[in-house]
Amino acid sequence: MNKPGQKIAMISSTSIDLPEHRRMVMDACLRMGFRPIMMDHLAGQDRSASEVSIGMVKDADVYLGIFAHAYGSNPDNDDRSYTEIEFDEAVKLGIAVIPFFINDDHPWPPRLVDKGAKAEKLERLKKKVQKDRLVQWFGSPEDLRGLVIHALGEFEKQRATREDTTKVLDFHPPNIIPKSPEPYIAHPYSLLQTKDVVGRQAELNLLTDWVTANQQVPADTRIFNLVAIGGMGKSALTWKWFNDIAPNELPKLAGRIWWSFYESDAHWDNFIIRALAYVSGLSEKEVREMESPEREDQLWQILDQKPFLLVLDGLERILLAYARMDAAQMLDDDLDEETAHEERMFAGIPENIRETYLQKHRLRQCIDANAARFLRRLTKIRASRILITTRLYPAELQTNTAQPWPACFAVFLKGLHDDDALNLWREFGVSGSRDQLLKLFNTFGNYPLLIRALAGEIAEYRLAPGYFDQWMADNPNFNPGDLDLKNAKTHVLQYALRGLPEEHRKVLRTIAAFRMPATWDTLCALLVGRGKPIVEVRQLDMALTELEDRGLVGWHKEANRYDLHPVTRSIVWQSLSESARHEIFEELHRYFETVPRVDWKDVRRLEDLEPYFHLSQSLIGLGRAEEAEQLLQEQVRRLISEPPDRRTE
Amino acid sequence: MRLLAPVPAKRGKNHVFISYAREDAATHTECLLRALSNKAITVWNDQKMRPGVPFPRALEQAIDQSFAMVALVSAGALESRWVRAEWCYAFSKRSTTIIPVVIPEYKVRRFPIELSIFSPVYLEKSAYDDSLQNVVTLVEFARDFPSRW
């Protein structure tokens, strides 16, 4: 489903010979804010393949034709291949056609080169495509990706000039609530989405045991808590289980919800409203008209009676300890002590420290008393299951002696098993003996975020790409083994960021300055162009791709937004000098001063005022608090006279 | 087992600033003062201030020297340019942790925009002491775990 106003790119090509190329083109489309469609997406349609194929072209705003050495198959009633049919249709409809041809120097297996009649047809088609049209030539999948990025950028520029459109930025993911049992992914998991989960089989099995055999997890468990520090992979493994395993193990589910409290619009109230809209089938508007206790009650009743799976990702964000503006910048290491959260306590604490414990564990209580009550109520539901991922275990689900509340189960996720850690490292093609590597990994607890980041750094090491020994020899001060765990982590991440080219660092710093995921449009505007760190859009794409591969940047494809892991964000931001931060805020300010903002009459939610916040935040960062205040007050006055949740058209 | 090991607050930041509107939040401020004093936390409020002059240097200094600001959200505060100026100024001092606290009488479902990126604590009539204790805990946390923004 595409967002309102989102453009569609039709990717037309043969498929068997070009899987990697098509994947690259898909990603390029998503990066540029286009929804890619192609023949692979027609499974399950009632219409004939050619009808569907033509229908796709009709829906498209732009046609991307990828031509290699195969003509492709054709329908029974037509001599033309699907690719040619699609091309002809695009020309007939006057849709923008952007063709890409394979270069002669692109390595290509002979078995994928058509011969005879098909080769002749392909030659004719290529001539037809080239007529009156500029063709771009690619020498590799990556090359093609860059060309598509550039071409779509140019297409957008021309369209913007033609239509003189003033684009209002969309800072929030689309909010589309599907009909159950289709899963409701309120906030797709973005971090590390580009990589598969490595290892974690024991934890995945434990989750499956929870809903099947109950050999390890008691059958009466209703709330499963996966607890870990940031970067350990709790969300990634939960996402995998939620998507790939749960539907098979729980085939009779009434529906599944994925809700992430990491998102800026993910308030507790919004969660109750949207979850109820999903499970009840009511519209969001109808639910919003109910009183708060009625909503909670109805949601509880339905979850009690019908089997839903509900994932609450990043629950720590609604706990007292995170009720701070710097929550995204907070380092993990001190939190356990500050909040009485050490794992050993969960077995129960002695009487003599109970009072101290109770003082500290208050920081793990929900900020919102309604949320606290509802969490407790959830322990009593019968039909549904709740899976929580959290940095801090919520105090509401713990007894006064620190044990998990009845019907709650807690797993503290640790570093990867040695073999999984090695597999993750090897995925980057980096050398190193098992003993040598495990010794290193153990200094930072086999922490996956760091393994990925460091492997990415060494894989790209300019003097000897992928050679661990050489990298170590050239970095004699790299010594995590001499440090305690907390400092070892920072030390490793600092080295892992060292070899990044300046433009990559600039991308990281810019994203770090945002308190919410940055959009592609914003990053382009801030970073790309004359006098800016990056000259062309495709270079920004390359930088982001590398940062994604290293696990440093998460890409939320649907909303086309970019975020840093809290650990990375914290280190990147804190490594900046005051003047460097000032410079970033200046750039943010220059940009947000000029972007169109949502007109007051169109404001429906507080979130719609987000651009004002970015602007005021940049002003504050520049020490211009009074101007920020003035800007905010202007909006405040409007809010006071006409609060958005009370307004009617 | 080490449970209580407070990290010293940042140098020069030795009190908590309470920002409130006298007309409808004075009682809650008193309760909060008592609760914080019980924990030996120094509080700065507007008792010594002369009203009428926007952003006097003394006020700026008081906010500069606070490790946290408790912003009591009430109808009176929302109508007071004075109070909201304090919030905005504290917002600009990124080393001051802001703790918005909504008083029980404030029932309107809107929240001051300059505080809307924070999660507020609600003082609840039915569990007043407990919710007050939440505020104290957050103040202690801000002292022991200074803002990094």
Side-chain angles (χ1 to χ4, degrees):
Chain A
M1 191 177 289
N2 60 313
K3 288 190 278 180
Q6 188 181 27
K7 295 166 296 300
I8 296 173
M10 164 80 190
I11 302 172
S12 175
S13 78
T14 48
S15 55
I16 295 169
D17 55 333
L18 291 163
E20 180 63 6
H21 295 74
R22 286 158 70 87
R23 195 179 67 77
M24 286 285 181
V25 176
M26 267 183 70
D27 274 359
C29 291
L30 289 167
R31 188 81 100 199
M32 298 302 290
F34 286 74
R35 183 164 77 91
I37 53 171
M38 52 182 152
M39 281 288 274
D40 310 36
H41 298 162
L42 58 76
Q45 300 263 2
D46 291 335
R47 295 174 295 166
S48 72
S50 56
E51 279 173 341
V52 174
S53 162
I54 287 172
M56 282 183 170
V57 181
K58 283 180 178 159
D59 287 341
D61 296 280
V62 59
Y63 166 96
L64 304 172
I66 319 298
F67 300 92
H69 297 296
Y71 180 66
S73 60
N74 59 291
D76 293 340
N77 57 352
D78 201 322
D79 282 345
R80 296 172 301 161
S81 68
Y82 288 108
T83 315
E84 185 162 0
I85 291 170
E86 287 161 3
F87 171 77
D88 290 344
E89 189 66 18
V91 173
K92 191 174 110 192
L93 293 171
I95 293 167
V97 170
I98 309 178
F100 302 89
F101 282 10
I102 193 164
N103 249 337
D104 287 342
D105 55 7
H106 189 316
W108 205 252
R111 65 186 170 79
L112 297 177
V113 177
D114 275 351
K115 294 177 186 68
K118 282 207 163 186
E120 285 170 22
K121 279 184 163 184
L122 176 65
E123 199 54 37
R124 273 203 302 276
L125 171 60
K126 282 186 169 178
K127 278 189 181 148
K128 183 161 74 173
V129 172
Q130 271 179 295
K131 196 179 172 199
D132 303 327
R133 206 168 277 113
L134 187 69
V135 166
Q136 305 191 62
W137 301 81
F138 60 90
S140 68
E142 293 76 17
D143 192 18
L144 176 61
R145 176 187 174 116
L147 290 172
V148 172
I149 294 260
H150 181 73
L152 290 177
E154 290 300 310
F155 172 80
E156 271 295 78
K157 268 191 218 163
Q158 286 172 14
R159 193 186 64 89
T161 314
R162 214 168 41 239
E163 298 175 13
D164 191 24
T165 51
T166 308
K167 192 176 175 188
V168 173
L169 298 182
D170 182 9
F171 288 89
H172 294 277
N175 173 35
I176 299 158
I177 302 174
K179 198 170 166 9
S180 61
E182 189 189 334
Y184 172 31
I185 316 287
H187 313 95
Y189 173 65
S190 63
L191 294 171
L192 315 188
Q193 200 165 258
T194 48
K195 293 276 178 187
D196 289 334
V197 175
V198 173
R200 299 296 188 197
Q201 199 52 51
E203 291 85 357
L204 290 167
N205 291 344
L206 197 62
L207 283 166
T208 301
D209 179 73
W210 170 41
V211 299
T212 54
N214 296 118
Q215 287 176 347
Q216 295 165 278
V217 183
D220 64 353
T221 301
R222 285 295 166 266
I223 304 186
F224 191 115
N225 296 271
L226 203 49
V227 187
I229 61 167
M232 204 53 92
K234 57 184 179 298
S235 296
L237 99 84
T238 305
W239 179 251
K240 182 179 171 66
W241 189 78
F242 177 86
N243 275 305
D244 301 345
I245 302 172
N248 296 314
E249 299 294 345
L250 293 163
K252 291 182 182 162
L253 278 180
R256 289 178 287 148
I257 304 179
W258 178 282
W259 184 272
S260 172
F261 288 101
Y262 293 120
E263 299 289 343
S264 59
D265 64 340
H267 316 300
W268 181 257
D269 272 357
N270 272 354
F271 160 66
I272 295 288
I273 289 165
R274 293 180 189 165
L276 178 56
Y278 172 72
V279 301
S280 67
L282 294 169
S283 73
E284 191 176 331
K285 186 169 176 286
E286 287 171 306
V287 176
R288 282 189 186 277
E289 282 164 4
M290 293 178 192
E291 289 296 319
S292 177
E294 188 191 347
R295 287 178 203 146
E296 286 179 11
D297 202 50
Q298 282 205 22
L299 177 58
W300 190 88
Q301 297 287 351
I302 295 172
L303 293 176
D304 182 51
Q305 287 156 21
K306 291 185 182 176
F308 283 91
L309 172 65
L310 174 55
V311 171
L312 301 177
D313 182 39
L315 190 87
E316 75 273 7
R317 293 302 173 102
I318 65 164
L319 305 183
L320 276 172
Y322 278 79
R324 300 167 46 144
M325 189 176 161
D326 60 343
Q329 273 73 29
M330 282 165 85
L331 282 173
D332 280 309
D333 305 279
D334 304 317
L335 268 177
D336 286 330
E337 270 189 23
E338 289 290 330
T339 59
H341 188 247
E342 284 140 304
E343 186 183 353
R344 56 196 168 142
M345 289 183 179
F346 283 71
I349 50 167
E351 185 67 39
N352 62 342
I353 65 160
R354 190 170 299 171
E355 197 181 330
T356 322
Y357 162 78
L358 290 174
Q359 281 170 14
K360 289 264 176 185
H361 101 313
R362 184 178 281 275
L363 280 167
R364 292 190 278 108
Q365 287 181 0
C366 293
I367 303 157
D368 185 334
N370 293 333
R373 277 191 290 269
F374 196 77
L375 267 190
R376 273 278 174 91
R377 278 189 87 188
L378 282 177
T379 62
K380 296 199 165 57
I381 51 165
R382 287 168 294 181
S384 296
R385 311 264 179 163
I386 318 297
L387 173 52
I388 290 174
T389 77
T390 184
R391 163 67 184 93
L392 296 173
Y393 187 89
E396 281 80 7
L397 302 182
Q398 218 171 356
T399 65
N400 282 352
T401 51
Q403 286 149 321
W405 193 260
C408 296
F409 189 82
V411 171
F412 285 74
L413 202 59
K414 301 289 189 330
L416 292 170
H417 292 303
D418 284 351
D419 287 334
D420 292 337
L422 284 166
N423 287 339
L424 178 58
W425 181 266
R426 303 276 187 233
E427 276 200 352
F428 286 82
V430 181
S431 67
S433 72
R434 180 186 171 88
D435 287 350
Q436 199 180 20
L437 291 173
L438 289 181
K439 196 175 156 199
L440 167 65
F441 298 161
N442 293 166
T443 63
F444 51 82
N446 290 10
Y447 187 28
L449 182 133
L450 292 182
I451 294 172
R452 197 187 292 277
L454 191 61
E457 170 71 10
I458 300 174
E460 299 295 327
Y461 181 47
R462 281 176 177 71
L463 297 178
Y467 282 91
F468 178 65
D469 289 341
Q470 186 63 49
W471 186 88
M472 287 292 280
D474 294 345
N475 290 281
N477 295 324
F478 179 70
N479 58 351
D482 296 347
L483 304 167
D484 61 31
L485 185 61
K486 175 180 167 181
N487 288 313
K489 284 181 187 171
T490 309
H491 180 75
V492 172
L493 195 52
Q494 280 166 345
Y495 271 82
L497 300 176
R498 263 191 169 188
L500 283 176
E502 184 50 31
E503 64 265 27
H504 290 45
R505 286 168 183 271
K506 193 80 186 173
V507 174
L508 277 182
R509 290 172 193 153
T510 304
I511 300 175
F514 284 83
R515 66 172 188 82
M516 58 187 293
T519 64
W520 165 260
D521 289 337
T522 305
L523 291 179
C524 277
L526 288 167
L527 295 164
V528 182
R530 196 179 296 164
K532 294 181 179 167
I534 294 172
V535 180
E536 286 188 41
V537 168
R538 74 174 91 178
Q539 290 170 302
L540 176 61
D541 170 58
M542 283 163 67
L544 283 169
T545 304
E546 187 176 332
L547 293 169
E548 286 154 20
D549 287 346
R550 291 189 185 202
L552 297 169
V553 166
W555 177 20
H556 171 190
K557 290 186 181 183
E558 192 186 350
N560 204 12
R561 298 184 307 155
Y562 301 83
D563 202 4
L564 302 186
H565 202 283
V567 181
T568 315
R569 180 188 296 274
S570 170
I571 285 173
V572 168
W573 190 248
Q574 286 177 45
S575 68
L576 292 174
S577 64
E578 275 301 316
S579 65
R581 289 180 190 179
H582 190 88
E583 201 180 302
I584 291 173
F585 282 126
E586 267 184 346
E587 283 164 20
L588 291 181
H589 178 253
R590 268 198 297 274
Y591 172 63
F592 281 109
E593 205 173 31
T594 56
V595 297
R597 285 163 233 152
V598 179
D599 191 88
W600 172 248
K601 67 180 188 312
D602 298 323
V603 169
R604 290 287 173 278
R605 308 164 301 169
L606 198 57
E607 291 93 317
D608 293 331
L609 296 172
E610 197 70 44
Y612 294 98
F613 272 120
H614 285 304
L615 186 57
S616 64
Q617 204 181 331
S618 63
L619 283 166
I620 285 162
L622 292 169
R624 291 156 63 181
E626 288 193 24
E627 283 174 65
E629 182 207 335
Q630 221 170 8
L631 178 79
L632 291 170
Q633 291 285 0
E634 189 188 321
Q635 300 308 319
V636 168
R637 272 197 291 278
R638 288 171 165 177
L639 273 175
I640 289 170
S641 60
E642 208 182 2
D645 54 347
R646 295 277 172 99
R647 271 177 345 114
T648 50
E649 275 300 308
Chain B
M1 188 179 294
R2 181 172 164 243
L3 275 173
L4 268 172
V7 179
K10 277 190 179 174
R11 249 188 323 174
K13 289 188 169 290
N14 46 24
H15 61 242
V16 58
F17 187 106
I18 301 185
S19 175
Y20 70 105
R22 281 186 197 179
E23 65 261 37
D24 59 359
T27 317
H28 300 296
T29 305
E30 288 301 319
C31 295
L32 193 55
L33 266 169
R34 275 197 299 276
L36 290 166
S37 302
N38 286 343
K39 295 279 181 177
I41 294 168
T42 315
V43 178
W44 193 98
N45 65 8
D46 66 344
Q47 303 290 323
K48 295 171 191 167
M49 291 298 307
R50 281 182 300 129
V53 186
F55 274 118
R57 183 69 200 129
L59 186 59
E60 286 186 7
Q61 271 179 355
I63 296 175
D64 287 347
Q65 290 168 5
S66 59
F67 58 83
M69 169 188 276
V70 175
L72 283 165
V73 179
S74 66
L78 257 82
E79 298 300 330
S80 163
R81 183 172 168 77
W82 181 266
V83 172
R84 300 184 79 166
E86 289 171 357
W87 297 349
C88 283
Y89 186 73
F91 188 52
S92 77
K93 307 311 288 181
R94 280 171 284 154
S95 54
T96 302
T97 301
I98 299 178
I99 305 166
V101 177
V102 181
I103 67 166
E105 294 78 15
Y106 185 69
K107 298 289 185 198
V108 187
R109 286 196 57 78
R110 63 184 157 83
F111 197 65
I113 193 166
E114 58 272 50
L115 299 181
S116 64
I117 61 168
F118 304 94
S119 305
V121 180
Y122 289 86
L123 289 182
E124 290 197 71
K125 268 194 181 147
S126 57
Y128 192 80
D129 288 344
D130 200 44
S131 48
L132 204 61
Q133 193 51 48
N134 279 347
V135 182
V136 175
T137 304
L138 276 177
V139 169
E140 288 181 306
F141 186 45
R143 178 196 63 198
D144 301 344
F145 210 83
S147 170
R148 290 167 190 266
W149 176 244

